[in-house]
Amino acid sequence: MLVRESDLTTYARIRNAALEGFAQRGVASTGIRDVAGAAGVSPGLVQHHFGTKAGLRAAVDEYVREVVIGAFSGLIPMKAKDPIRVYGDRITELVREHPMALLYVARSLADGDEAAHSLFDTFFAFSRERWTEMAEDGRLRPDVDVDWAALHAIMWPVATVLFGPAIERNLGKPFAGEELDRWNEASRMLFGYSAYDPRRRPRT
């Protein structure tokens, strides 16, 4: 659900401004004054809420972690009729609603940032648990490499957001709306159904 900027708390506005700055320009190139200007507050107010740039960065990391994990929490994919479609829809909504969070992870990983690697480790562990559940429940093809299935489920949306401008240049239209749905369908056919065996049923 989209939230109006005016409805956000000052804390959230500052954090979101930091997230956007970090995602678009990198952490090293985004200072407290940049964040304050983007959020429409004073640098002193940023420091009041977060202390230092490190504290601001930690808040952004925690928010991104909650966004990604929250997109899949409560999901029991192996019990769904078509768990790959459920996964694909959840990932597409994550890209639709939180592209800056994914761009932040992608840019920070490219910069070799240790905090971003820690985030990626968390996402991988969570993704691997979900794929392992499907494998143990007999929903995957027996030769599926669960580690790489879990990695692809993370890397595909992160890389797609990172290369968004190049994608739009070649599509000739924004990577949004119907194009996101088109991406979802193509990704599911290319990756998801090569691992999932629709003839298999959940174990009881």
Side-chain angles (χ1 to χ4, degrees):
M1 181 179 64
L2 296 177
V3 179
R4 294 179 300 177
E5 190 72 15
S6 60
D7 292 336
L8 295 174
T9 65
T10 301
Y11 179 96
R13 283 195 293 115
I14 295 171
R15 182 204 59 214
N16 289 359
L19 170 60
E20 186 168 351
F22 294 163
Q24 294 183 336
R25 296 185 299 276
V27 175
S29 298
T30 304
I32 285 181
R33 288 188 177 277
D34 299 315
V35 172
V41 300
S42 69
L45 191 56
V46 175
Q47 292 173 318
H48 170 74
H49 282 288
F50 300 95
T52 63
K53 182 177 174 180
L56 183 57
R57 173 70 186 281
V60 169
D61 285 347
E62 182 59 28
Y63 173 70
V64 171
R65 184 179 290 107
E66 290 176 357
V67 161
V68 175
I69 299 302
F72 301 95
S73 63
L75 178 65
I76 308 177
M78 68 272 196
K79 300 304 179 184
K81 181 179 181 180
D82 186 346
I84 297 301
R85 179 174 293 277
V86 174
Y87 263 129
D89 290 345
R90 291 291 185 99
I91 289 172
T92 299
E93 285 309 302
L94 180 62
V95 173
R96 193 189 313 272
E97 298 291 341
H98 301 284
M100 283 298 162
L102 297 177
L103 182 59
Y104 164 68
V105 173
R107 180 178 291 278
S108 298
L109 285 171
D111 289 342
D113 185 86
E114 183 56 36
H117 281 283
S118 178
L119 277 175
F120 191 92
D121 294 345
T122 299
F123 300 158
F124 171 69
F126 186 82
S127 178
R128 194 180 188 284
E129 286 179 5
R130 307 288 81 75
W131 282 94
T132 298
E133 287 173 355
M134 284 193 287
E136 292 177 347
D137 206 53
R139 303 300 298 275
L140 303 181
R141 301 180 193 279
D143 57 347
V144 168
D145 186 322
V146 171
D147 286 339
W148 272 104
L151 284 167
H152 280 305
I154 303 167
M155 293 187 300
W156 191 242
V158 170
T160 300
V161 170
L162 179 63
F163 288 100
I167 291 171
E168 293 181 349
R169 177 185 175 93
N170 283 273
L171 289 177
K173 59 182 71 174
F175 182 51
E178 292 182 358
E179 286 304 316
L180 266 174
D181 296 328
R182 181 182 170 195
W183 171 72
N184 182 10
E185 185 66 26
S187 300
R188 182 165 57 245
M189 296 302 296
L190 182 61
F191 291 111
Y193 290 141
S194 64
Y196 173 62
D197 188 344
R199 295 168 299 181
R200 293 172 176 262
R201 294 292 179 268
R203 292 173 181 162
T204 57

